[in-house]
């Protein structure tokens, strides 16, 4: 009797593993089959010559170049906020904070990490409403607003990875700063941060991946279907994930649908590279301390 | 002064204090952000309380053109879809954890681990996109479930989305309890599956709970899957094959179309509900984590 | 006759150290003289390393440690209570009272960076001066010829003994006044041991040196003054003359170990 139950469990484990693998393979396979053929110059630049498009001399109408650039800007601008703030917070929580401060600020970080992205988008939207009613009647959703909200969304990743990477440094290494006569800050800058750098980097990359894939936040904070190249921080913009979302519902021709698949492939390539890099870095970082 | 200090040191310690303060300020940003999110949402919900429209928003009907703005169907939709997704994903995710941990041959385990990490890297919108063109037609043709945009369609896709989360959380737990126990049980002559049943599952019960709660939270917070796949009809989830609308999708939909202020307010109410829900989930997990830590501490002594 | 103590370099009085309530050092009092080589011996776990760490306040680094008593060190001509409120800043203190650990602890950087980073950061040395200082220190410990060609390799690729000497060189380079060395020859072959022993003897005129040793013969060879520690207490103090008397030495050691 027992043996049968055990068998069933083993069978179920294999089945689950198989099903998930199958689902992932189907997902990627389906994307490849439908989208691979459409990945070419015209996917990115439409009818425009690529040199003109890249240098911004001519607008791109059909292609995803503006969306790609929009996503890139979004990731860069949000990283500009989230990386320094996140690393600084991680350092503070790991190296300076007293136990109580660490617990209470850590709780805030956890809450921020748990905030759904649509709520973060709603926050940005509400912020604009508030600004319109009070200080700036002409305020509107924009790249800057979206980047700010995305930065808040990914901030917890950077904070937590920085904090754990620092806290994972063993005592016998930590003590070397004082032994060499370094002050607390000098030890952080010259020993602890370099030693933890790989872990921190993985957090940063993870955050960039999240920033590139998130759709719900930008949906409410300034993404539009036709904006052309991002023209400035205070303008609306296009982005890859939104374009995919948009094409799923609004495609009119077969060609547009194929473009949707191809765009998905491009985005998938982008994010999965980022995530797998972060994963590898993390693993290498952990292995390194197992040796000690 | 007994000891000639180079004056550089004084300056330096002043600099250090200054930098410590800057770091503290940076850390406070997260706290300020979370508080301002709460305050802003509450501020925009305030009119509901003062004008007594609260009952209006927490009613059972959403028909903006007929003047009904109830979001209860969306609350029910969110819960239904998340529970269903959890129900679909959880057994599989746990099985995969045990599979990777002790049942699988090493190369398969490594491959599966990488696959799960790869899956966390797939953007939500791509899960949605592929499902629209792969799963929806299947549902429509095989199960003849109306348009195919149903609760079940979205829940299946959502389960695929939350599965890696559950696996990673639970995997981390398993690795933490691992070393002594596996050795001890192997010494007792347990086969891998017996180990799983009699040692790992009891030892990681709390981890199972945490993983389930986190998976549920992830499902509640997701927007794109339900927005793209669940059909977005504001009705109660009476069967697996009806189209429903979640709180998250509701926010996205209403804000996408310019509508009246009452509809707006229902959006902020939905946002506040989501926020508080996630706050509660967080609290719950912390509570469990603390109980967990205390237990291991006692064991150490 | 005992030499009359006129200008001690370090005075330790009634030093007690606890880790999580467990007493590790109990009422330890020592007087360290300049230009002498001081050696501490004692069974494993008797608190030798803890005593050394108390002299540059490294014990504070461990969260649940409590220290009481008095440690005074002569810095710039005055005896300074290093645990007092107005003591010199810790980084300054630790640079002047350098310590080399029992187990070699190199930074996970290149050999060169192990040497130069602390010099750059604490002393602000640059360029040629920096290189000279590094080479000088590495030559002192007899490591220069071995690492000259591979300065950019990871320091962790060095052998245990090489790492130990690298740590000693790193400490010397910072130009300390007091040198605390915890079993400097634990993982060295006899030739390297000779080098280090000779180095300690050469250095004792310029630095105040306190060394921990596990080897009785080495302790006898090197020590101008020797303390025997057991279970956190000083059981015996011996000077050069008493150390010369092999039979007496043996008797004392047999009593204690
Ligand atoms: N950080 C610490 N936390 C708790 N106990 C400690 C700590 N450091 C040392 N001890 C304890 O203090 C006692 C003395 O340790 P110490 O390292 O000073 O011994 P030792 O004489 O140097 O021994 P050995 O010859 O083996 O190096 C030991 O019982 C040790 O367990
Ligand atoms: Mg020791």
């Amino acid at each position: 009797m027992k043996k049968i139950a055990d068998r069933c469990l083993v069978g179920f484990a294999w089945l689950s593993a198989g099903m998930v693998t199958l689902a992932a393979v189907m997902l990627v396979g389906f994307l490849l089959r439908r989208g691979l053929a459409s990945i070419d110059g015209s996917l990115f630049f439409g009818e425009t010559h690529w040199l003109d498009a890249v240098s911004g001399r001519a607008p791109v109408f059909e292609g995803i170049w503006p969306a790609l650039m929009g996503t890139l800007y979004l990731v860069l601008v949000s990283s500009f906020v989230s990386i320094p703030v996140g690393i600084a917070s991680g350092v503070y929580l790991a190296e300076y904070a007293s136990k109580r401060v660490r617990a209470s600020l850590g709780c805030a970080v956890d809450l921020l990490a748990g905030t759904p992205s649509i709520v973060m988008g709603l926050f940005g939207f509400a912020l604009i409403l508030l600004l319109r009613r009070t200080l700036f009647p002409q305020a509107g959703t924009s790249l800057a607003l979206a980047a700010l909200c995305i930065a808040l969304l990914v901030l917890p990743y950077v904070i937590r990875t920085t904090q754990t990477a620092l806290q994972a440094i063993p005592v016998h290494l930590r003590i070397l700063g004082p032994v060499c006569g370094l002050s607390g800050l000098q030890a952080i800058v010259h020993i602890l941060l370099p030693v933890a750098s790989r872990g921190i980097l993985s957090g940063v990359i993870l955050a960039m991946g999240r920033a590139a894939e998130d759709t719900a936040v930008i949906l409410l904070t300034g993404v539009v279907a036709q904006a052309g190249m991002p023209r400035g921080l205070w303008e609306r913009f296009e982005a890859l994930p939104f374009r995919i979302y948009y094409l799923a519902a609004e495609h009119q021709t077969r060609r547009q649908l194929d473009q949707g698949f191809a765009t998905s492939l491009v985005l998938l390539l982008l994010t999965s590279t980022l995530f797998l890099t972060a994963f590898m870095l993390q693993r290498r970082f952990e292995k390194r301390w197992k040796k000690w | 002064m007994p000891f000639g200090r180079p004056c550089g040191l004084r300056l330096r310690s002043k600099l250090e204090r200054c930098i410590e303060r800057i770091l503290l300020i940076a850390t406070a940003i997260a706290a300020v952000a979370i508080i301002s999110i709460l305050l802003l949402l509450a501020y925009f919900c305030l009119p509901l309380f003062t004008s007594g429209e609260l009952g209006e928003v927490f009613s059972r009907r959403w028909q903006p053109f007929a003047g009904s703005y109830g979001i209860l169907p969306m609350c029910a939709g969110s819960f239904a879809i998340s529970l269903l997704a959890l129900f679909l994903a959880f057994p599989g995710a746990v099985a995969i954890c045990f599979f990777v941990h002790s049942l699988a041959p090493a190369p398969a385990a490594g491959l599966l681990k990488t696959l799960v990490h790869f899956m966390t890297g797939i953007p939500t919108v791509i899960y949605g996109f592929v499902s629209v063109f792969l799963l929806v037609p299947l549902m429509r043709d095989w199960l003849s479930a109306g348009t195919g945009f149903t609760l079940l369609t979205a829940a299946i896709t959502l389960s695929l989305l939350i599965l890696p989360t559950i696996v990673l959380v639970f995997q981390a737990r398993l690795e933490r309890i691992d070393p002594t126990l596996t050795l001890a049980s192997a010494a007792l002559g347990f086969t891998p599956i017996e180990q799983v049943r009699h040692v790992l599952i009891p030892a990681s019960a709390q981890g199972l709970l945490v993983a389930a709660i986190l998976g549920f939270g992830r499902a509640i917070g997701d927007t794109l899957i339900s927005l793209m796949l669940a059909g977005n009809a504001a009705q109660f989830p009476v069967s697996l094959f009806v189209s429903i609308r979640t709180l998250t999708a509701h926010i996205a939909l209403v804000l996408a179309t310019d509508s009246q202020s009452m509809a707006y307010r229902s959006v902020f109410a939905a946002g506040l509900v989501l926020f508080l829900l996630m706050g509660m989930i967080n609290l719950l997990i912390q509570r469990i984590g603390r109980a967990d830590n205390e237990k291991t501490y006692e064991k150490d002594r | 006759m005992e030499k009359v103590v006129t200008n001690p370099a370090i005075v330790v009085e009634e030093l007690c150290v606890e880790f999580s309530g467990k007493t590790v050092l109990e009422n330890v009092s020592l007087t360290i003289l300049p230009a002498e080589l001081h050696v501490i011996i004692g069974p494993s776990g008797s608190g030798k390393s803890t005593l050394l760490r108390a002299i540059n306040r490294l014990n504070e680094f461990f969260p649940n440690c409590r220290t009481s008593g008095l440690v005074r060190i002569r810095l710039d001509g005055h005896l300074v209570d290093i645990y007092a409120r107005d003591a010199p800043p810790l980084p300054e203190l630790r640079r002047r009272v350098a310590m080399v650990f029992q187990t070699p602890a190199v930074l996970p950087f290149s050999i060169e960076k192990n040497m130069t980073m602390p010099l750059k950061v604490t002393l602000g040395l640059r360029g040629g001066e920096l290189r000279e200082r590094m080479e000088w220190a590495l030559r002192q410990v007899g490591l220069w010829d071995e690492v000259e060609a591979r300065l950019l390799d990871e320091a962790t690729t060095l052998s245990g003994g090489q790492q130990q000497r690298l740590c000693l060189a790193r400490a010397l380079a910072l130009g300390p006044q007091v040198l605390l060395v915890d079993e400097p020859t634990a993982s060295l072959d006899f030739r390297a041991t000779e080098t280090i022993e000779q180095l300690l003897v050469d250095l004792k005129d310029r630095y105040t040196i306190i060394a921990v040793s596990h080897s009785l013969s080495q302790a006898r060879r090197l020590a101008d003054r020797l303390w025997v520690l057991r279970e956190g207490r000083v059981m015996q103090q011996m000077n050069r003359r008493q150390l010369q008397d092999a039979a007496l030495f043996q008797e004392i050691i047999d009593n204690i170990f």
Side-chain angles (χ1 to χ4, degrees):
Chain A
M1 206 46 224
K2 242 184 176 170
K3 281 268 137 61
I4 294 177
D6 282 355
R7 286 253 170 81
C8 286
L9 268 180
V10 175
F12 182 65
W14 277 94
L15 184 73
S16 311
M19 292 259 289
V20 168
T21 314
L22 184 72
V25 167
M26 256 169 70
L27 189 142
V28 176
F30 188 65
L31 274 183
L32 283 174
R33 201 170 63 99
R34 298 285 302 266
L36 201 56
S38 312
I39 294 190
D40 53 17
S42 79
L43 169 72
F44 288 94
F45 305 112
E47 305 299 308
T48 318
H49 190 267
W50 69 269
L51 252 178
D52 292 340
V54 171
S55 61
R57 263 177 304 190
V60 176
F61 292 111
E62 294 279 270
I64 62 168
W65 182 248
L68 188 64
M69 284 293 116
T71 291
L72 199 67
Y73 277 51
L74 193 67
V75 171
L76 286 183
V77 177
S78 66
S79 303
F80 198 73
V81 178
S82 66
I83 291 174
V85 173
I87 293 182
S89 314
V91 170
Y92 185 84
L93 287 178
E95 302 297 325
Y96 289 100
S98 65
K99 225 173 176 178
R100 260 191 44 221
V101 173
R102 187 181 298 169
S104 52
L105 283 179
C107 183
V109 174
D110 282 344
L111 275 176
L112 200 61
T115 307
S117 55
I118 192 85
V119 173
M120 200 61 86
L122 189 60
F123 168 67
F125 186 82
L127 206 60
I128 289 298
L129 280 189
L130 190 72
L131 285 180
R132 270 206 200 136
R133 283 189 198 172
T134 52
L135 299 171
F136 305 99
Q138 74 283 22
T141 55
S142 65
L143 180 61
L145 179 72
L148 177 73
C149 292
I150 293 257
L152 287 182
L153 191 76
V154 302
L155 188 62
Y157 293 96
V158 186
I159 296 179
R160 284 302 188 203
T161 39
T162 305
Q163 190 189 348
T164 24
L166 284 172
Q167 282 173 348
I169 298 176
V171 177
H172 70 86
L173 265 182
R174 266 171 188 280
I175 207 168
L176 287 184
V179 165
C180 295
L182 306 193
S183 67
L185 181 66
Q186 288 170 336
I188 290 174
V189 172
H190 294 283
I191 298 179
L192 300 184
L193 280 180
V195 166
S197 61
R198 220 177 282 188
I200 296 174
L201 188 64
S202 86
V204 164
I205 295 174
L206 199 69
M208 290 168 95
R210 281 264 169 266
E213 68 136 35
D214 197 275
T215 323
V217 171
I218 56 177
L219 209 58
L220 306 187
T221 52
V223 80
V224 285
Q226 296 292 339
M229 293 289 283
R231 286 183 310 274
L233 279 179
W234 310 109
E235 304 288 336
R236 299 187 169 193
F237 60 100
E238 292 182 33
L240 283 181
F242 180 74
R243 194 178 173 87
I244 295 168
Y245 166 69
Y246 176 81
L247 283 179
E250 315 272 333
H251 65 273
Q252 269 138 17
T253 60
R254 169 87 195 184
R255 198 179 120 70
Q256 275 187 339
L257 184 57
D258 288 342
Q259 255 203 8
F261 282 102
T263 312
S264 299
L265 268 181
V266 172
L267 182 63
L268 183 62
L269 197 69
L270 190 75
T271 55
S272 57
T273 314
L274 287 176
F275 277 87
L276 282 182
T277 316
F279 170 54
M280 300 291 179
L281 279 173
Q282 192 71 47
R283 214 164 51 172
R284 290 254 291 278
F285 182 74
E286 277 162 10
K287 263 207 196 118
R288 191 162 156 191
W289 299 134
K290 292 226 172 96
K291 255 192 333 204
W292 290 79
Chain B
M1 208 164 68
F3 182 69
R5 276 177 219 177
C7 68
L9 261 170
R10 270 262 166 84
L11 278 179
R12 207 184 286 147
S13 73
K14 205 172 238 170
L15 176 77
E16 300 224 338
R17 266 204 295 280
C18 179
I19 285 187
E20 186 179 338
R21 197 148 311 149
I22 293 175
L23 293 181
L24 175 61
I25 291 171
T27 317
I29 289 180
V32 170
I34 202 74
I35 292 171
S36 34
I37 292 173
L38 180 61
L39 287 183
L40 208 56
L41 290 181
Y43 170 74
F44 279 97
C45 284
L46 211 55
L48 289 178
F49 292 93
T50 52
S51 66
E53 288 155 338
L54 198 63
E56 181 66 38
V57 164
F58 286 99
S59 69
R60 302 167 55 87
R61 264 170 45 159
W62 173 264
Q63 276 165 350
F65 298 110
S68 318
Y69 298 97
I71 60 166
L72 281 186
M74 291 66 151
C75 294
S78 272
F79 270 98
I81 203 171
S82 304
L83 284 177
L84 192 56
L86 188 64
F87 176 75
L88 291 174
F90 190 69
V94 172
I96 285 176
C97 282
F98 289 131
F99 183 74
V100 167
H101 190 266
S102 43
L103 303 178
L111 218 65
L112 207 59
K113 252 189 195 167
T114 314
L115 182 80
V116 167
H117 273 276
F118 169 74
M119 282 173 75
T120 59
I122 301 178
T124 322
V125 69
I126 291 184
Y127 281 110
F129 189 84
V130 170
S131 277
V132 167
F133 298 102
L134 196 65
L135 194 59
V136 168
L138 282 185
M139 298 299 280
R140 190 169 48 217
D141 301 339
W142 288 6
L143 301 177
S144 51
T147 55
F149 291 95
T150 64
L151 169 61
L152 185 62
T153 323
I156 291 175
T157 314
L158 198 54
S159 71
L160 215 55
L161 182 80
I162 65 174
L163 185 127
T165 309
I166 303 177
V167 171
L168 291 185
V169 171
F170 189 53
Q171 183 74 33
R173 287 280 171 142
L174 271 187
E175 267 163 24
R176 252 180 27 197
I177 57 160
D178 183 18
T180 46
L181 267 180
T182 340
L183 217 66
S185 58
L188 289 178
F190 281 7
T191 62
I193 185 68
E194 283 167 345
Q195 263 182 47
V196 167
R197 272 185 43 163
H198 302 293
V199 181
L200 290 180
I201 292 184
S204 61
Q206 215 131 40
L208 284 175
L209 190 61
V210 169
I213 295 174
L214 279 176
F216 181 76
R218 179 94 211 269
I220 286 269
D222 181 76
T223 312
L224 263 284
I225 302 281
S226 54
L227 184 61
M228 293 174 88
L229 295 168
N232 295 322
Q235 55 187 352
F236 279 90
V238 287
S239 94
L240 289 180
F241 302 107
V242 294
S243 117
I244 56 133
R245 181 189 286 196
T246 60
L247 284 169
T248 49
H250 179 66
I251 297 175
L253 285 169
V254 172
L255 293 189
T257 57
D258 250 359
S259 46
Q260 329 79 322
S261 67
M262 198 49 208
Y264 263 21
R265 264 172 230 162
S266 83
V267 160
F268 287 109
L272 198 59
V273 168
L274 277 173
F275 185 87
L276 294 179
L277 204 61
M278 297 312 278
M280 260 149 56
I281 287 179
N282 234 305
L283 219 67
L284 200 61
I285 286 185
Q286 259 174 30
R287 183 69 50 86
I288 295 173
R290 204 170 306 139
D292 205 19
N293 284 344
E294 272 161 22
K295 221 169 69 184
T296 53
Y297 178 63
E298 274 170 16
K299 206 163 52 192
D300 281 347
R301 288 200 296 184
Chain C
M1 272 307 291
E2 280 283 313
K3 194 156 61 178
V4 180
V5 176
T6 49
N7 59 341
I10 301 175
V11 180
V12 178
E13 284 170 33
E14 318 225 308
L15 179 73
C16 299
V17 177
E18 301 179 354
F19 282 111
S20 340
K22 192 182 125 225
T23 305
V24 173
L25 288 181
E26 207 178 340
N27 283 332
V28 172
S29 300
L30 322 163
T31 305
I32 307 281
L33 300 176
E36 285 195 351
L37 220 168
H38 308 265
V39 177
I40 301 173
I41 59 173
S44 183
S46 55
K48 304 183 295 292
S49 304
T50 308
L51 176 57
L52 288 195
R53 283 200 304 261
I55 295 175
N56 67 354
R57 291 183 64 175
L58 269 181
N59 281 326
E60 284 164 40
F61 205 80
F62 301 101
N64 38 25
C65 162
R66 275 196 32 214
T67 307
S68 64
L70 205 58
V71 177
R72 289 187 295 163
I73 301 181
R74 186 174 299 279
L75 297 168
D76 300 333
H78 301 268
L79 273 181
V80 181
D81 177 2
I82 59 166
Y83 283 92
R85 193 70 66 63
D86 62 344
L90 279 180
E92 174 78 27
L93 170 74
R94 287 172 181 153
R95 214 176 65 232
R96 293 186 175 221
V97 184
M99 173 151 185
V100 179
F101 292 119
Q102 185 165 12
T103 44
V106 295
L107 295 164
F109 305 137
S110 72
I111 297 169
E112 178 168 335
K113 197 167 174 200
N114 258 279
M115 294 296 299
T116 55
M117 189 276 287
L119 290 173
K120 268 191 218 162
V121 174
T122 60
L123 303 180
L125 295 188
R126 292 282 179 278
E129 204 182 350
L130 184 66
R131 246 193 116 68
E132 261 170 37
R133 181 78 75 100
M134 170 175 74
E135 186 178 334
W136 170 81
L138 286 172
R139 278 192 195 286
Q140 291 277 305
V141 298
L143 194 59
W144 178 251
D145 295 328
E146 288 162 60
V147 299
E148 187 185 0
R150 46 183 288 207
L151 281 174
L152 294 180
D153 287 4
E154 281 285 314
T156 42
T157 61
L158 292 173
S159 77
Q162 288 171 326
Q163 289 187 20
Q164 184 79 311
R165 283 180 285 157
L166 181 65
C167 293
L168 186 55
R170 194 174 61 197
L172 283 180
L174 285 168
Q177 284 174 288
V178 179
L179 199 56
L180 309 172
V181 281
D182 201 346
E183 291 187 45
T185 58
S187 45
L188 300 187
D189 65 43
F190 78 99
R191 180 130 302 153
T193 304
E194 263 175 16
T195 314
I196 296 296
E197 285 184 2
Q198 192 53 49
L199 175 65
L200 291 180
V201 170
D202 292 346
L203 292 178
K204 75 178 182 190
D205 293 332
R206 281 177 284 157
Y207 305 92
T208 306
I209 301 179
I210 309 178
V212 166
S213 176
H214 262 168
S215 147
L216 298 178
S217 58
Q218 181 180 53
R220 269 191 75 200
R221 268 200 308 280
L222 293 181
D224 293 315
R225 202 165 286 268
L226 178 106
W227 282 275
V228 186
L229 226 60
R230 193 175 128 192
E231 288 169 6
R233 294 161 172 274
V234 177
M235 302 303 288
Q236 183 80 34
Q237 179 186 355
M238 300 166 94
N239 59 23
R240 189 83 240 169
R241 198 174 42 81
Q242 292 164 315
L243 284 170
Q244 301 301 330
D245 189 339
L248 181 66
F249 180 73
Q250 197 53 49
E251 191 190 322
I252 291 171
I253 295 302
D254 285 343
N255 281 341
I256 291 172
F257 276 85

